[in-house]
């Protein structure tokens, strides 16, 4: 944001993800006034005091009525997004909304159409695109290190089968989504896959969703995924494993000459390519091993510096606020958000099985 411009910000919803937004916003020197809003006034007041915000309230109307508020961060459970985002846009506020923006493509289109009619910016958070490992892979692919990109493989392993995400008494985002708790995680896998697909349009989605037994018996809702996504030039595999360890979010991209791999939860960079394809030479194995050692050192230093998988959120938000000066031109972000919603709709239509 240009130093000559000041921005008033409201944050609606003070759950876990809100603290990431609040911490970043509290460090931005162009924030002029700030509101924190939650259904629990005590929770809002705690967040206000923790991050040095100006006002705390439990009334969304108070935030929207303030002429000082220019941007609202909607960080509430996903089933509330349509109502709250619509209210913000109708009050002529720019909106940053946590994923998933909407339960389906049709609803996402309505929200973006409303944003256009109100001449306001609407951004769905897709922060992994700004994480260092993803940008590093982008650069290496652009440099031709692995040749023409052919396959993208994304695997998310989280212990979902016996977690708070399935508790209907808690405000988990996935409880009221069409795809259940699984849909709360699908945006990350989908937009990352689409990012590496580039301009190639998805023409086919195959595979299945699945449920697993919870501890103590009983069948859970659908919480696993094994899907194949194809364009005319690339293939992608998206997997969610709900009952295996360790937790990981692994991304690998494969090309004609080699492949790159990282874990977005515990970053490292593995590159294997010509001339050491197939049976690895001793030197090739040594180089890969050296990279793992270096990655371990970097990871340790990042942990000390409190760098975590949300590190892409700050550059994402800084880019958003800087772009407000330029006429809030978010056509690429809007296109990616709608393509993500479309892919999620297709994944939610896959058959379900029980394992």
């Amino acid at each position: 944001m240009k130093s000559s411009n000041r921005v008033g910000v409201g944050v609606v919803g003070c759950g876990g993800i809100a603290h990431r937004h609040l911490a970043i916003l509290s460090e931005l020197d162009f924030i002029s006034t700030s509101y924190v809003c939650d259904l629990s006034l005590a929770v809002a007041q705690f967040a206000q005091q923790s991050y040095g915000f100006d006002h705390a309230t439990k009334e969304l109307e108070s935030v929207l009525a303030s002429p000082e508020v220019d941007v609202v961060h909607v960080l509430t459970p996903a089933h509330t997004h349509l109502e709250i985002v619509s209210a913000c846009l109708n009050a002529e506020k720019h909106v940053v909304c946590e994923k998933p923006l909407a339960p389906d493509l049709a609803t996402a289109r309505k929200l973006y159409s409303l944003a256009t009619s109100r001449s306001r910016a609407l951004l769905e958070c897709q922060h992994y695109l700004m994480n260092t490992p993803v940008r590093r892979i982008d650069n290496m692919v652009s440099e031709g290190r692995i040749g023409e990109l052919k396959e993208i493989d994304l695997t998310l392993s989280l212990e979902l089968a016996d977690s708070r995400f399935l508790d209907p008494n808690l405000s988990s985002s996935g409880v009221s989504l069409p795809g259940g708790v699984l849909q709360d995680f699908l945006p990350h896998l989908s937009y990352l896959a689409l990012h590496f697909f580039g301009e190639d349009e998805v023409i086919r989605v195959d595979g299945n969703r699945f449920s697993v037994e919870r501890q103590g018996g009983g069948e859970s809702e659908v919480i696993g995924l094994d899907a194949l996504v194809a364009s005319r030039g690339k293939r992608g595999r998206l997997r969610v494993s709900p009952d295996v360890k360790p937790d990981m979010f692994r991304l690998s991209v494969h090309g004609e000459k080699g492949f790159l791999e990282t874990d977005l939860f515990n970053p490292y960079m593995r590159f294997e390519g010509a001339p050491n394809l197939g049976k690895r030479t001793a030197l090739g194995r040594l180089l890969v091993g050296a990279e793992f050692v270096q990655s371990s050192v970097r990871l340790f230093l990042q942990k000390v510096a409190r760098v975590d998988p949300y590190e892409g959120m700050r550059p994402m938000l800084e880019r958003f606020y800087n772009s407000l000066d330029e006429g809030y031109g978010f056509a690429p972000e809007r296109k990616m958000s709608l393509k993500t919603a479309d892919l999620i709709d297709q994944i939610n239509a896959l058959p379900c099985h029980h394992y």
Side-chain angles (χ1 to χ4, degrees):
M1 196 76 185
K2 295 176 182 176
S3 58
S4 60
N5 292 337
R6 309 287 287 171
V7 179
V9 174
V11 174
V12 180
C14 295
I17 194 63
H19 294 276
R20 310 286 182 173
H21 288 252
L22 289 164
I24 295 168
L25 292 170
S26 68
E27 297 172 356
L28 300 179
D29 57 10
F30 52 75
I31 301 298
S32 60
T33 188
S34 48
Y35 283 76
V36 180
C37 178
D38 193 89
L39 290 175
S40 167
L41 181 59
V43 170
Q45 290 173 332
F46 176 79
Q48 173 211 356
Q49 295 165 9
S50 297
Y51 297 98
F53 274 36
D54 299 321
H55 309 284
T57 180
K58 60 182 294 185
E59 304 295 335
L60 174 63
E61 292 77 11
S62 298
V63 180
L64 301 185
S66 171
E68 298 176 309
V69 173
D70 304 293
V71 180
V72 178
H73 289 235
V74 178
L75 314 178
T76 56
H79 67 276
T80 68
H81 288 175
L82 174 60
E83 179 181 357
I84 296 176
V85 172
S86 297
C88 293
L89 293 171
N90 282 321
E92 299 188 345
K93 312 297 184 184
H94 303 295
V95 176
V96 174
C97 185
E98 265 299 329
K99 59 79 189 167
L101 171 64
D104 50 47
L105 176 61
T107 307
R109 281 176 171 159
K110 289 179 182 178
L111 289 174
Y112 278 109
S113 294
L114 178 58
T116 299
S117 70
R118 297 297 183 180
S119 297
R120 289 298 177 264
L122 172 58
L123 178 72
E124 180 183 25
C125 292
Q126 298 185 343
H127 68 269
Y128 277 118
L129 293 175
M130 302 296 291
N131 276 37
T132 301
V134 175
R135 289 186 289 174
R136 189 176 174 194
I137 288 178
D138 277 339
N139 291 336
M140 295 177 75
V141 171
S142 297
E143 292 168 358
R145 299 286 294 277
I146 62 171
E148 184 180 354
L149 184 61
K150 291 293 186 180
E151 293 187 351
I152 302 97
D153 195 326
L154 285 149
T155 299
L156 176 64
S157 295
L158 283 175
E159 192 171 353
L160 299 177
D162 294 278
S163 71
R164 65 178 178 84
F165 294 104
L166 294 175
D167 189 339
N169 298 308
L170 299 176
S171 57
S172 170
S173 291
V175 171
S176 301
L177 291 170
V181 69
L182 178 63
Q183 189 172 343
D184 197 24
F185 300 94
L186 288 181
H188 290 318
L189 285 89
S190 298
Y191 69 67
L192 282 167
L194 291 167
H195 171 71
F196 288 103
F197 273 31
E199 295 301 316
D200 292 348
E201 295 294 330
V202 171
I203 60 172
R204 186 171 181 177
V205 178
D206 291 317
N208 64 274
R209 299 172 296 149
F210 60 87
S211 60
V212 296
E213 290 187 1
R214 305 177 67 177
Q215 291 182 6
E219 183 177 332
S220 72
E221 64 177 287
V222 174
I223 51 177
L225 174 71
D226 192 352
L228 297 174
V229 181
S231 68
R232 297 197 183 279
K234 300 181 180 71
R235 304 175 295 273
R237 187 177 186 189
L238 312 184
R239 290 182 289 176
V240 177
S241 298
D243 55 355
V244 300
K245 287 290 187 180
D247 289 351
M248 68 176 180
F249 192 6
R250 189 156 295 172
L251 162 67
S252 61
V253 296
H254 303 249
E256 294 177 315
K257 298 179 181 178
F259 82 98
L260 294 157
E261 180 184 80
T262 190
D263 185 336
L264 295 170
F265 287 168
N266 295 288
Y268 63 85
M269 187 60 61
R270 178 184 178 189
F271 165 64
E272 297 194 36
N276 294 319
L277 293 173
K279 295 181 178 179
R280 303 292 298 168
T281 65
L283 178 59
R285 290 181 180 274
L286 181 62
L287 292 174
V288 172
E291 173 58 34
F292 273 108
V293 172
Q294 293 175 17
S295 296
S296 297
V297 173
R298 285 195 298 268
L299 180 60
F300 173 76
L301 294 175
Q302 289 173 351
K303 296 295 185 183
V304 172
R306 297 184 179 181
V307 176
D308 61 18
Y310 293 91
E311 52 121 346
M313 186 172 290
R314 185 182 183 104
M316 179 196 72
L317 292 179
E318 288 179 338
R319 185 172 68 177
F320 172 83
Y321 281 100
N322 286 329
S323 296
L324 291 180
D325 285 333
E326 302 164 3
Y328 36 87
F330 291 96
E333 288 81 1
R334 170 177 176 158
K335 182 178 180 181
M336 176 61 80
S337 182
L338 292 173
K339 288 174 67 174
T340 298
D342 186 24
L343 178 54
I344 291 173
D345 279 359
Q346 294 183 66
I347 291 173
N348 281 341
L350 292 174
C352 305
H353 302 282
H354 176 66
Y355 295 122

